[in-house]
Amino acid sequence: MSDCLFCKIIAGEIPSAKVYEDEAVYAFRDIAPMAPVHVLVVPKVHIASADGVNAENSACVARIFEAIPKIAAAEGLTNGYRVITNCGEDACQTVKHLHFHILGGKPLPETMA
Ligand code: AMP
Ligand code: ZN
């Protein structure tokens, strides 16, 4: 998608602090971190949100979840971490390209809603 921020980051048109990349997945540091480690993991194909995952494109979600433990290990998250995806208005999704937040490096609050 030509006007998608994360597609532009994946394409290298907008700079990012990359922490991981493979054929299907790109991961980079969140620009406004909410924890000592705050990484965004995105599919290289444009999917608007978790609500856009289907039988044709779900393989990239598996690839993301294969990458997440590698990223967590590289970031030193030996005591656990949280993985979140915000989907749609009620969840306050601000960037309409599927992404998973990895948050860690401190004890996180119990509540999420
Ligand atoms: P969400 O609210 O779940 O859609 O999350 C979008 C995330 O993207 C937020 O945590 C933002 O801080 C982050 N973000 C926005 N622009 C950039 C950028 N240029 N580089 C890195 N992270 C960004
Ligand atoms: Zn996109």
Side-chain angles (χ1 to χ4, degrees), residues 9-79:
I9 284 177
I10 293 160
E13 294 165 15
I14 290 175
S16 67
K18 179 172 84 171
V19 298
Y20 177 87
E21 182 174 18
D22 63 33
E23 318 85 68
V25 176
Y26 191 83
F28 53 102
R29 297 196 191 282
D30 196 292
I31 204 166
M34 297 180 69
V37 174
H38 188 169
V39 171
L40 301 175
V41 192
V42 308
K44 285 190 171 176
V45 295
H46 181 86
I47 300 171
S49 75
D51 205 44
V53 176
N54 56 43
E56 279 70 49
N57 64 22
S58 62
C60 71
V61 179
R63 297 294 300 269
I64 284 171
F65 275 83
E66 290 169 31
I68 284 172
K70 297 179 195 171
I71 296 165
E75 295 292 323
L77 300 179
T78 54
N79 206 41

